[in-house]
Amino acid sequence: MSDSKVSGVVHLIEDTKTYGNKGFRKRLVVLEQEKGSFTNYVPLEFIKDGCDAVDDIKVGDEIEVTYRLNGRRWQKDEHSEAKYFLNAEALSFRLVGDGGGAGGTMTEKVSRSANDAFDEANEDDAPF
């Protein structure tokens, strides 16, 4: 499966959150896209060292993010209902504009393997 790209204006940057016994880290960045009569909000998850790369962007910046979709099945125990989750894991980003009209070409590598996040997360502390 190939990686995809999405662009938009940075609407929200959350603080880095840590999960599980091994200290899995993730940070949510929400992009805003104008789609005619409505606004589309796209949540992207930066994981591990990618959390630190987010320090290079700010609300109002226009960025293009390369991402991959990850899905996960979670079930508390064999008698409970299975839940399915989908997230967009940010792999890299490129600064297109800074909200003030200036452009840039910075690219940051922000992720490793798609399954690293799940390998490090404790089963009881799912990272989503």
Side-chain angles (χ1 to χ4, degrees):
M1 181 188 296
S2 64
D3 300 329
S4 299
K5 293 183 181 185
V6 64
S7 60
V9 175
V10 177
H11 173 77
L12 172 73
I13 302 172
E14 287 189 352
D15 292 332
T16 299
K17 296 178 183 170
T18 304
Y19 300 89
N21 296 334
K22 296 182 181 180
F24 171 76
R25 300 183 316 140
K26 80 173 184 176
R27 191 170 186 184
L28 185 73
V29 173
V30 178
L31 298 184
E32 183 176 331
Q33 300 174 318
E34 292 301 323
K35 297 286 188 181
S37 61
F38 68 95
T39 303
N40 191 38
Y41 295 95
V42 181
L44 298 156
E45 293 180 345
F46 288 77
I47 63 168
K48 295 184 177 187
D49 294 339
C51 296
D52 300 328
V54 173
D55 292 339
D56 294 334
I57 59 176
K58 62 186 181 303
V59 172
D61 283 349
E62 183 177 349
I63 63 173
E64 178 182 75
V65 179
T66 301
Y67 70 94
R68 76 175 130 224
L69 294 177
N70 290 319
R72 180 171 168 102
R73 180 181 184 267
W74 181 84
Q75 190 171 12
K76 184 173 182 170
D77 58 47
E78 65 184 46
H79 303 293
S80 62
E81 178 183 358
K83 306 265 184 192
Y84 296 89
F85 298 90
L86 177 69
N87 72 306
E89 177 189 341
L91 302 174
S92 65
F93 70 89
R94 181 175 69 86
L95 185 62
V96 177
D98 64 2
T105 58
M106 180 184 75
T107 300
E108 292 283 339
K109 184 69 178 168
V110 298
S111 183
R112 291 180 179 81
S113 159
N115 293 318
D116 285 349
F118 302 124
D119 292 341
E120 289 190 11
N122 184 321
E123 281 298 316
D124 296 329
D125 298 323
F128 37 82

